[in-house]
Amino acid sequence: MMDNNKLDPAKGFTPAASQLHWRRWRRPLLWGALVSLLLVAQSLLVGLTLSYEAARAQEQVEQAVTEVAARAKQLGGRELQGLQSLLWESAQAPRWHADASELLRRARSLLRIEYRDASRHVVAAEDSPYAPPLFSQISREQMQLETELACVAALRQGAQLYSRSYFVPLAGGEGLEVVDLCMPRLRAGEVESFIVATIGLRQLLEDAVPAELARGHELSFVEGDGTRLARTGLTRGAGFYVAERLVDLPGLTLQLRGNSAAGQPQLIPNLATALVMGLSLALFAVVLLLARDVRRRAHAEAALAEALAFRQAMENSLITGLRARDMDGNITYVNPAFCTIVGFTPDELLAQPIPPYWPPEFVAEYQRRHAERRQRRDLAPEQRQGFETVFMRRNGERFPVLIFEAPLKNAQGEQTGWMSAVLDVSAQRRVEELSRQQQDRLQATARLATVGEMASLLSHELNQPLSAIASYATASLNLVTREANDPQTPAMVRQALTRIAEQAERAGRVIKSVHDFVRRRDQAREVIGIDQLFDAVLPLVRLQARKSGARIDVELPQPAPRVRCDRTMVEQVLLNLSRNAIQAMEPATPLAERVLTLRVTQASPRWVSIAVIDRGPGIAPGVAKQLFTPFFTTRSEGMGLGLSLCRTVIEQHGGAMDFESRSEAGPQGGTGTEFRFTLPSDSMAAEESR
């Protein structure tokens, strides 16, 4: 007889030879696993140590930057307190210069203190004894743009504000990056003087950095693009550990960057100890693995039983239905969730040629779909398919379901059927339908709101041209009936009819402009002279003025500036403001003092300023807060859309609108209200076209 344990060259290894071959390679494989574990453990140990050292170094840099940022902010507050005492002293008193010099000696970061009058002209100044005079190379008048902006903002907010940083050149090609602190002095709401303190960023940084931090770190103020403004520190940073913080000062935010002199951390000093511990742990783990390998076979069956129980519990807890089918389409397994979805028990579902949850009207289609899927199973066996279909509950209710199917394979990798995950999406479909209905209602409401807004705007904007048409028509009738024999009557009637035609055309332009305004698109703009805008609205303004007994003064430079605007909407702005001004003077202003002033100034090469000034009683503070609020009005017949629309039109042109209510004690004297707005000039339009 032949020995079955011997090797057959034609058939390969026998079972006995295969077992012997496994035992021969078992020990080398375990030793190879041991070596691999040692290498992995050592690599992880070194990596974790380096990561810990890097994290600690980075934390030190962040702590240093945080401390310096807090000290810099504290120094800024301390200098602010010292400057407040100088704000209430007069620059003419010798004590002011002495106090300013003393403050400059105490605070090295203060390079210059200026006392300015209400017009922000320098009245007195003191320079720091620790630095050369700042403005020896370039005069102060040539380097105060940022100072002016800070003072204007501080005056507007009624608080002390810092300016943006700027560079001051010094002798020898050097220079300093500085900021200005502007402190206005207000009395009864009026500015009396300013204190402007120039602070060196490098000096501020040096005062804020302790000596121990300066030895191991480089601290600097940088801009958003990385440009360095000022730096301090005994060493240069290595660029490996970097941290940044923001230093918030009133009106100014500085970015502080800390750069540690330490480079990438080296290997840990106790590497040998760590390696020994790692080797010991790895050897102990390998011994445990060898001991457990003996008992693994005995525990395999128990583990398999536990795995099956766990899987069964997991499947029973799912809310997703699970269904397994063989290649013929017969159901071989369902979980409780699937039975709950369709309303049938497992006994009613298993081994049924036609599932009871198929609607009768779809049985033929489902059978055809299953046959096609069975024919295509060899094309993409690993692909998971998802589709939506309709099932039927026990009570006959049809409901949509979402099915995901994947091939079901045995241990040899052969497909034996399909495993399906079934989701009941009927509730989701109801929610989607409800959401769609709500969206339709919201769209209908939005359309109604747009129509209402357009109706309100048209009603308000067409009231004035239609009133003008009615006035000219009445005047024409009066001229025809009462002065028929006057030779000038035909010319006057022709002029009135011309005005009626102009106002009718104007009403058409208003409708188009308001329609475009409601649609929120760009307005049709043109380059036009201010005098042409005034010529278009002055006839209507004069009618209102004659009715109220007011005079009209037009202050227009020659030649008249040209602006780029939507002519119709800007004319409406001028007309609204002029009518409001005339109506404001009717109740309380004496007849002799009722003067409406229309003033045009070239505010800058890019902007033209237009002011409408009346001599009425002014605007109460409570009303001023709500003046531009839509639908807010102080007149019973008003709609509250005029000023709100005016500001919107000006802002659409890129300009700004504000007002000033003057009293007897005001800077201009007299009473009344001045509304100002700006429009882009012709030169600005030419620059934009280029």
mmCIF file of all heavy atoms in Angstrom, residues 304-346:
data_model
loop_
_atom_site.group_PDB
_atom_site.id
_atom_site.type_symbol
_atom_site.label_atom_id
_atom_site.label_comp_id
_atom_site.label_asym_id
_atom_site.label_seq_id
_atom_site.Cartn_x
_atom_site.Cartn_y
_atom_site.Cartn_z
ATOM 1 N N LEU A 304 -17.712 31.728 18.348
ATOM 2 C CA LEU A 304 -18.636 31.710 17.219
ATOM 3 C C LEU A 304 -20.078 31.786 17.683
ATOM 4 O O LEU A 304 -20.902 32.500 17.104
ATOM 5 C CB LEU A 304 -18.396 30.444 16.393
ATOM 6 C CG LEU A 304 -19.285 30.275 15.157
ATOM 7 C CD1 LEU A 304 -19.087 31.435 14.196
ATOM 8 C CD2 LEU A 304 -18.995 28.937 14.474
ATOM 9 N N ALA A 305 -20.388 31.053 18.754
ATOM 10 C CA ALA A 305 -21.750 31.103 19.286
ATOM 11 C C ALA A 305 -22.095 32.507 19.791
ATOM 12 O O ALA A 305 -23.206 33.012 19.576
ATOM 13 C CB ALA A 305 -21.898 30.077 20.400
ATOM 14 N N GLU A 306 -21.162 33.130 20.466
ATOM 15 C CA GLU A 306 -21.405 34.498 20.942
ATOM 16 C C GLU A 306 -21.576 35.474 19.772
ATOM 17 O O GLU A 306 -22.416 36.387 19.826
ATOM 18 C CB GLU A 306 -20.249 34.942 21.833
ATOM 19 C CG GLU A 306 -20.162 34.180 23.155
ATOM 20 C CD GLU A 306 -18.975 34.629 23.981
ATOM 21 O OE1 GLU A 306 -18.238 35.526 23.496
ATOM 22 O OE2 GLU A 306 -18.779 34.092 25.083
ATOM 23 N N ALA A 307 -20.777 35.289 18.726
ATOM 24 C CA ALA A 307 -20.902 36.167 17.558
ATOM 25 C C ALA A 307 -22.267 36.018 16.906
ATOM 26 O O ALA A 307 -22.896 37.010 16.499
ATOM 27 C CB ALA A 307 -19.788 35.874 16.557
ATOM 28 N N LEU A 308 -22.738 34.774 16.806
ATOM 29 C CA LEU A 308 -24.060 34.563 16.221
ATOM 30 C C LEU A 308 -25.151 35.198 17.075
ATOM 31 O O LEU A 308 -26.100 35.811 16.556
ATOM 32 C CB LEU A 308 -24.315 33.066 16.052
ATOM 33 C CG LEU A 308 -23.455 32.352 14.991
ATOM 34 C CD1 LEU A 308 -23.725 30.847 15.021
ATOM 35 C CD2 LEU A 308 -23.745 32.924 13.608
ATOM 36 N N ALA A 309 -25.025 35.063 18.406
ATOM 37 C CA ALA A 309 -26.020 35.678 19.284
ATOM 38 C C ALA A 309 -25.975 37.198 19.188
ATOM 39 O O ALA A 309 -27.021 37.874 19.188
ATOM 40 C CB ALA A 309 -25.776 35.223 20.727
ATOM 41 N N PHE A 310 -24.772 37.734 19.106
ATOM 42 C CA PHE A 310 -24.642 39.188 18.985
ATOM 43 C C PHE A 310 -25.254 39.689 17.680
ATOM 44 O O PHE A 310 -25.951 40.701 17.648
ATOM 45 C CB PHE A 310 -23.164 39.562 19.061
ATOM 46 C CG PHE A 310 -22.898 41.026 18.867
ATOM 47 C CD1 PHE A 310 -23.097 41.934 19.890
ATOM 48 C CD2 PHE A 310 -22.452 41.504 17.642
ATOM 49 C CE1 PHE A 310 -22.861 43.280 19.709
ATOM 50 C CE2 PHE A 310 -22.217 42.847 17.442
ATOM 51 C CZ PHE A 310 -22.418 43.739 18.492
ATOM 52 N N ARG A 311 -24.987 38.955 16.580
ATOM 53 C CA ARG A 311 -25.556 39.367 15.301
ATOM 54 C C ARG A 311 -27.075 39.297 15.314
ATOM 55 O O ARG A 311 -27.764 40.170 14.780
ATOM 56 C CB ARG A 311 -25.007 38.475 14.183
ATOM 57 C CG ARG A 311 -25.319 38.996 12.792
ATOM 58 C CD ARG A 311 -25.047 37.951 11.752
ATOM 59 N NE ARG A 311 -26.041 36.875 11.826
ATOM 60 C CZ ARG A 311 -26.126 35.878 10.949
ATOM 61 N NH1 ARG A 311 -25.266 35.809 9.949
ATOM 62 N NH2 ARG A 311 -27.039 34.939 11.088
ATOM 63 N N GLN A 312 -27.599 38.244 15.968
ATOM 64 C CA GLN A 312 -29.043 38.122 16.051
ATOM 65 C C GLN A 312 -29.645 39.275 16.840
ATOM 66 O O GLN A 312 -30.670 39.856 16.459
ATOM 67 C CB GLN A 312 -29.409 36.787 16.702
ATOM 68 C CG GLN A 312 -30.894 36.479 16.726
ATOM 69 C CD GLN A 312 -31.436 36.202 15.332
ATOM 70 O OE1 GLN A 312 -30.701 35.747 14.461
ATOM 71 N NE2 GLN A 312 -32.719 36.483 15.132
ATOM 72 N N ALA A 313 -29.023 39.642 17.964
ATOM 73 C CA ALA A 313 -29.527 40.765 18.760
ATOM 74 C C ALA A 313 -29.428 42.071 17.984
ATOM 75 O O ALA A 313 -30.317 42.936 18.057
ATOM 76 C CB ALA A 313 -28.742 40.856 20.071
ATOM 77 N N MET A 314 -28.351 42.243 17.250
ATOM 78 C CA MET A 314 -28.186 43.461 16.464
ATOM 79 C C MET A 314 -29.245 43.560 15.368
ATOM 80 O O MET A 314 -29.840 44.619 15.146
ATOM 81 C CB MET A 314 -26.787 43.490 15.846
ATOM 82 C CG MET A 314 -26.487 44.734 15.030
ATOM 83 S SD MET A 314 -24.795 44.728 14.402
ATOM 84 C CE MET A 314 -24.840 43.253 13.373
ATOM 85 N N GLU A 315 -29.514 42.464 14.679
ATOM 86 C CA GLU A 315 -30.518 42.475 13.624
ATOM 87 C C GLU A 315 -31.908 42.730 14.188
ATOM 88 O O GLU A 315 -32.727 43.408 13.560
ATOM 89 C CB GLU A 315 -30.478 41.155 12.867
ATOM 90 C CG GLU A 315 -29.199 40.946 12.069
ATOM 91 C CD GLU A 315 -29.155 39.582 11.421
ATOM 92 O OE1 GLU A 315 -30.087 38.791 11.683
ATOM 93 O OE2 GLU A 315 -28.207 39.307 10.666
ATOM 94 N N ASN A 316 -32.191 42.181 15.373
ATOM 95 C CA ASN A 316 -33.508 42.391 15.980
ATOM 96 C C ASN A 316 -33.709 43.830 16.438
ATOM 97 O O ASN A 316 -34.845 44.291 16.566
ATOM 98 C CB ASN A 316 -33.702 41.432 17.152
ATOM 99 C CG ASN A 316 -33.782 39.989 16.710
ATOM 100 O OD1 ASN A 316 -34.088 39.693 15.545
ATOM 101 N ND2 ASN A 316 -33.495 39.065 17.618
ATOM 102 N N SER A 317 -32.613 44.541 16.741
ATOM 103 C CA SER A 317 -32.737 45.920 17.222
ATOM 104 C C SER A 317 -32.806 46.943 16.096
ATOM 105 O O SER A 317 -33.049 48.126 16.356
ATOM 106 C CB SER A 317 -31.553 46.264 18.141
ATOM 107 O OG SER A 317 -30.332 46.245 17.414
ATOM 108 N N LEU A 318 -32.577 46.512 14.860
ATOM 109 C CA LEU A 318 -32.581 47.459 13.747
ATOM 110 C C LEU A 318 -33.998 47.902 13.423
ATOM 111 O O LEU A 318 -34.967 47.152 13.584
ATOM 112 C CB LEU A 318 -31.957 46.812 12.505
ATOM 113 C CG LEU A 318 -30.455 46.521 12.543
ATOM 114 C CD1 LEU A 318 -30.034 45.793 11.274
ATOM 115 C CD2 LEU A 318 -29.672 47.814 12.687
ATOM 116 N N ILE A 319 -34.118 49.148 12.957
ATOM 117 C CA ILE A 319 -35.401 49.639 12.429
ATOM 118 C C ILE A 319 -35.438 49.514 10.915
ATOM 119 O O ILE A 319 -36.465 49.772 10.286
ATOM 120 C CB ILE A 319 -35.643 51.099 12.842
ATOM 121 C CG1 ILE A 319 -34.536 51.996 12.278
ATOM 122 C CG2 ILE A 319 -35.730 51.230 14.347
ATOM 123 C CD1 ILE A 319 -34.804 53.480 12.507
ATOM 124 N N THR A 320 -34.312 49.115 10.316
ATOM 125 C CA THR A 320 -34.244 48.868 8.877
ATOM 126 C C THR A 320 -34.573 47.409 8.612
ATOM 127 O O THR A 320 -34.030 46.502 9.257
ATOM 128 C CB THR A 320 -32.835 49.192 8.339
ATOM 129 O OG1 THR A 320 -32.532 50.541 8.613
ATOM 130 C CG2 THR A 320 -32.758 48.944 6.842
ATOM 131 N N GLY A 321 -35.453 47.184 7.659
ATOM 132 C CA GLY A 321 -35.820 45.815 7.342
ATOM 133 C C GLY A 321 -34.727 45.104 6.570
ATOM 134 O O GLY A 321 -34.136 45.667 5.641
ATOM 135 N N LEU A 322 -34.443 43.865 6.937
ATOM 136 C CA LEU A 322 -33.460 43.026 6.252
ATOM 137 C C LEU A 322 -34.176 41.820 5.648
ATOM 138 O O LEU A 322 -35.003 41.182 6.302
ATOM 139 C CB LEU A 322 -32.366 42.557 7.220
ATOM 140 C CG LEU A 322 -31.500 43.643 7.851
ATOM 141 C CD1 LEU A 322 -30.478 43.024 8.796
ATOM 142 C CD2 LEU A 322 -30.800 44.469 6.783
ATOM 143 N N ARG A 323 -33.818 41.537 4.398
ATOM 144 C CA ARG A 323 -34.464 40.436 3.680
ATOM 145 C C ARG A 323 -33.409 39.715 2.844
ATOM 146 O O ARG A 323 -32.636 40.359 2.127
ATOM 147 C CB ARG A 323 -35.567 40.969 2.773
ATOM 148 C CG ARG A 323 -36.261 39.933 1.906
ATOM 149 C CD ARG A 323 -37.105 40.599 0.834
ATOM 150 N NE ARG A 323 -36.283 41.356 -0.115
ATOM 151 C CZ ARG A 323 -36.775 42.036 -1.158
ATOM 152 N NH1 ARG A 323 -38.086 42.096 -1.337
ATOM 153 N NH2 ARG A 323 -35.977 42.680 -1.982
ATOM 154 N N ALA A 324 -33.348 38.379 2.975
ATOM 155 C CA ALA A 324 -32.436 37.562 2.175
ATOM 156 C C ALA A 324 -33.260 36.689 1.235
ATOM 157 O O ALA A 324 -34.272 36.102 1.641
ATOM 158 C CB ALA A 324 -31.556 36.698 3.072
ATOM 159 N N ARG A 325 -32.828 36.626 -0.044
ATOM 160 C CA ARG A 325 -33.523 35.827 -1.047
ATOM 161 C C ARG A 325 -32.508 34.948 -1.775
ATOM 162 O O ARG A 325 -31.350 35.333 -1.955
ATOM 163 C CB ARG A 325 -34.254 36.722 -2.049
ATOM 164 C CG ARG A 325 -35.369 37.546 -1.439
ATOM 165 C CD ARG A 325 -36.196 38.226 -2.516
ATOM 166 N NE ARG A 325 -35.404 39.204 -3.270
ATOM 167 C CZ ARG A 325 -35.831 39.799 -4.386
ATOM 168 N NH1 ARG A 325 -37.033 39.496 -4.867
ATOM 169 N NH2 ARG A 325 -35.075 40.669 -5.004
ATOM 170 N N ASP A 326 -32.971 33.788 -2.209
ATOM 171 C CA ASP A 326 -32.104 32.912 -2.987
ATOM 172 C C ASP A 326 -32.149 33.322 -4.448
ATOM 173 O O ASP A 326 -32.773 34.324 -4.812
ATOM 174 C CB ASP A 326 -32.503 31.447 -2.792
ATOM 175 C CG ASP A 326 -33.958 31.195 -3.182
ATOM 176 O OD1 ASP A 326 -34.546 32.046 -3.899
ATOM 177 O OD2 ASP A 326 -34.515 30.164 -2.765
ATOM 178 N N MET A 327 -31.500 32.539 -5.303
ATOM 179 C CA MET A 327 -31.408 32.907 -6.712
ATOM 180 C C MET A 327 -32.751 32.831 -7.420
ATOM 181 O O MET A 327 -32.943 33.481 -8.455
ATOM 182 C CB MET A 327 -30.407 31.982 -7.416
ATOM 183 C CG MET A 327 -28.997 32.072 -6.846
ATOM 184 S SD MET A 327 -28.306 33.746 -6.936
ATOM 185 C CE MET A 327 -28.233 33.991 -8.694
ATOM 186 N N ASP A 328 -33.689 32.059 -6.876
ATOM 187 C CA ASP A 328 -35.019 31.972 -7.484
ATOM 188 C C ASP A 328 -35.961 33.055 -6.986
ATOM 189 O O ASP A 328 -37.124 33.107 -7.421
ATOM 190 C CB ASP A 328 -35.630 30.595 -7.199
ATOM 191 C CG ASP A 328 -34.830 29.484 -7.864
ATOM 192 O OD1 ASP A 328 -34.252 29.745 -8.945
ATOM 193 O OD2 ASP A 328 -34.763 28.379 -7.298
ATOM 194 N N GLY A 329 -35.510 33.869 -6.047
ATOM 195 C CA GLY A 329 -36.351 34.932 -5.533
ATOM 196 C C GLY A 329 -37.130 34.570 -4.306
ATOM 197 O O GLY A 329 -37.918 35.393 -3.808
ATOM 198 N N ASN A 330 -36.965 33.366 -3.770
ATOM 199 C CA ASN A 330 -37.676 32.972 -2.565
ATOM 200 C C ASN A 330 -36.999 33.588 -1.340
ATOM 201 O O ASN A 330 -35.768 33.623 -1.237
ATOM 202 C CB ASN A 330 -37.707 31.451 -2.434
ATOM 203 C CG ASN A 330 -38.437 30.793 -3.591
ATOM 204 O OD1 ASN A 330 -39.461 31.294 -4.049
ATOM 205 N ND2 ASN A 330 -37.909 29.667 -4.070
ATOM 206 N N ILE A 331 -37.809 34.038 -0.383
ATOM 207 C CA ILE A 331 -37.285 34.660 0.828
ATOM 208 C C ILE A 331 -36.766 33.583 1.755
ATOM 209 O O ILE A 331 -37.468 32.611 2.077
ATOM 210 C CB ILE A 331 -38.380 35.495 1.523
ATOM 211 C CG1 ILE A 331 -38.843 36.635 0.610
ATOM 212 C CG2 ILE A 331 -37.869 36.058 2.839
ATOM 213 C CD1 ILE A 331 -39.966 37.462 1.171
ATOM 214 N N THR A 332 -35.526 33.749 2.199
ATOM 215 C CA THR A 332 -34.908 32.793 3.120
ATOM 216 C C THR A 332 -34.708 33.359 4.518
ATOM 217 O O THR A 332 -34.476 32.596 5.463
ATOM 218 C CB THR A 332 -33.548 32.337 2.570
ATOM 219 O OG1 THR A 332 -32.698 33.485 2.401
ATOM 220 C CG2 THR A 332 -33.721 31.632 1.222
ATOM 221 N N TYR A 333 -34.779 34.680 4.668
ATOM 222 C CA TYR A 333 -34.590 35.282 5.998
ATOM 223 C C TYR A 333 -35.204 36.672 5.984
ATOM 224 O O TYR A 333 -35.094 37.423 4.995
ATOM 225 C CB TYR A 333 -33.104 35.386 6.353
ATOM 226 C CG TYR A 333 -32.845 36.259 7.564
ATOM 227 C CD1 TYR A 333 -33.055 35.771 8.848
ATOM 228 C CD2 TYR A 333 -32.420 37.572 7.406
ATOM 229 C CE1 TYR A 333 -32.837 36.580 9.950
ATOM 230 C CE2 TYR A 333 -32.192 38.382 8.509
ATOM 231 C CZ TYR A 333 -32.405 37.889 9.779
ATOM 232 O OH TYR A 333 -32.199 38.690 10.868
ATOM 233 N N VAL A 334 -35.878 37.010 7.114
ATOM 234 C CA VAL A 334 -36.364 38.373 7.356
ATOM 235 C C VAL A 334 -36.141 38.681 8.828
ATOM 236 O O VAL A 334 -36.198 37.788 9.679
ATOM 237 C CB VAL A 334 -37.866 38.529 6.999
ATOM 238 C CG1 VAL A 334 -38.099 38.469 5.508
ATOM 239 C CG2 VAL A 334 -38.711 37.489 7.731
ATOM 240 N N ASN A 335 -35.871 39.941 9.133
ATOM 241 C CA ASN A 335 -35.720 40.338 10.535
ATOM 242 C C ASN A 335 -37.032 40.928 11.041
ATOM 243 O O ASN A 335 -37.960 41.210 10.261
ATOM 244 C CB ASN A 335 -34.557 41.323 10.694
ATOM 245 C CG ASN A 335 -34.864 42.676 10.067
ATOM 246 O OD1 ASN A 335 -35.710 42.770 9.183
ATOM 247 N ND2 ASN A 335 -34.165 43.707 10.500
ATOM 248 N N PRO A 336 -37.167 41.129 12.351
ATOM 249 C CA PRO A 336 -38.439 41.659 12.883
ATOM 250 C C PRO A 336 -38.822 43.009 12.302
ATOM 251 O O PRO A 336 -40.022 43.305 12.161
ATOM 252 C CB PRO A 336 -38.172 41.750 14.395
ATOM 253 C CG PRO A 336 -37.114 40.720 14.661
ATOM 254 C CD PRO A 336 -36.253 40.716 13.447
ATOM 255 N N ALA A 337 -37.835 43.868 11.991
ATOM 256 C CA ALA A 337 -38.171 45.182 11.446
ATOM 257 C C ALA A 337 -38.871 45.052 10.099
ATOM 258 O O ALA A 337 -39.817 45.796 9.809
ATOM 259 C CB ALA A 337 -36.900 46.031 11.316
ATOM 260 N N PHE A 338 -38.454 44.108 9.257
ATOM 261 C CA PHE A 338 -39.108 43.912 7.962
ATOM 262 C C PHE A 338 -40.544 43.438 8.155
ATOM 263 O O PHE A 338 -41.458 43.889 7.444
ATOM 264 C CB PHE A 338 -38.310 42.909 7.130
ATOM 265 C CG PHE A 338 -38.826 42.733 5.738
ATOM 266 C CD1 PHE A 338 -38.420 43.581 4.724
ATOM 267 C CD2 PHE A 338 -39.729 41.726 5.435
ATOM 268 C CE1 PHE A 338 -38.906 43.421 3.439
ATOM 269 C CE2 PHE A 338 -40.218 41.558 4.151
ATOM 270 C CZ PHE A 338 -39.806 42.412 3.149
ATOM 271 N N CYS A 339 -40.752 42.526 9.108
ATOM 272 C CA CYS A 339 -42.122 42.064 9.376
ATOM 273 C C CYS A 339 -42.997 43.209 9.859
ATOM 274 O O CYS A 339 -44.187 43.295 9.519
ATOM 275 C CB CYS A 339 -42.089 40.932 10.403
ATOM 276 S SG CYS A 339 -41.203 39.449 9.847
ATOM 277 N N THR A 340 -42.436 44.112 10.678
ATOM 278 C CA THR A 340 -43.211 45.256 11.156
ATOM 279 C C THR A 340 -43.570 46.192 10.010
ATOM 280 O O THR A 340 -44.676 46.759 9.972
ATOM 281 C CB THR A 340 -42.394 46.016 12.220
ATOM 282 O OG1 THR A 340 -42.060 45.108 13.281
ATOM 283 C CG2 THR A 340 -43.180 47.183 12.770
ATOM 284 N N ILE A 341 -42.661 46.359 9.039
ATOM 285 C CA ILE A 341 -42.915 47.269 7.924
ATOM 286 C C ILE A 341 -44.062 46.764 7.063
ATOM 287 O O ILE A 341 -44.989 47.520 6.730
ATOM 288 C CB ILE A 341 -41.628 47.449 7.092
ATOM 289 C CG1 ILE A 341 -40.581 48.224 7.895
ATOM 290 C CG2 ILE A 341 -41.928 48.174 5.783
ATOM 291 C CD1 ILE A 341 -39.244 48.337 7.201
ATOM 292 N N VAL A 342 -44.034 45.470 6.695
ATOM 293 C CA VAL A 342 -45.045 44.952 5.766
ATOM 294 C C VAL A 342 -46.272 44.412 6.483
ATOM 295 O O VAL A 342 -47.331 44.218 5.858
ATOM 296 C CB VAL A 342 -44.431 43.865 4.867
ATOM 297 C CG1 VAL A 342 -43.305 44.447 4.033
ATOM 298 C CG2 VAL A 342 -43.916 42.686 5.699
ATOM 299 N N GLY A 343 -46.161 44.105 7.782
ATOM 300 C CA GLY A 343 -47.312 43.623 8.526
ATOM 301 C C GLY A 343 -47.556 42.133 8.424
ATOM 302 O O GLY A 343 -48.656 41.672 8.768
ATOM 303 N N PHE A 344 -46.584 41.350 7.947
ATOM 304 C CA PHE A 344 -46.727 39.891 7.836
ATOM 305 C C PHE A 344 -45.720 39.219 8.757
ATOM 306 O O PHE A 344 -44.657 39.769 9.059
ATOM 307 C CB PHE A 344 -46.493 39.422 6.393
ATOM 308 C CG PHE A 344 -47.531 39.914 5.427
ATOM 309 C CD1 PHE A 344 -47.315 41.064 4.676
ATOM 310 C CD2 PHE A 344 -48.734 39.237 5.267
ATOM 311 C CE1 PHE A 344 -48.266 41.519 3.774
ATOM 312 C CE2 PHE A 344 -49.691 39.691 4.370
ATOM 313 C CZ PHE A 344 -49.461 40.839 3.626
ATOM 314 N N THR A 345 -46.043 37.985 9.190
ATOM 315 C CA THR A 345 -45.152 37.211 10.053
ATOM 316 C C THR A 345 -44.108 36.497 9.206
ATOM 317 O O THR A 345 -44.295 36.315 7.981
ATOM 318 C CB THR A 345 -45.956 36.187 10.860
ATOM 319 O OG1 THR A 345 -46.568 35.255 9.945
ATOM 320 C CG2 THR A 345 -47.038 36.878 11.686
ATOM 321 N N PRO A 346 -43.001 36.037 9.818
ATOM 322 C CA PRO A 346 -42.002 35.299 9.027
ATOM 323 C C PRO A 346 -42.555 34.046 8.366
ATOM 324 O O PRO A 346 -42.154 33.718 7.239
ATOM 325 C CB PRO A 346 -40.928 34.963 10.072
ATOM 326 C CG PRO A 346 -41.064 36.018 11.126
ATOM 327 C CD PRO A 346 -42.516 36.333 11.182
#
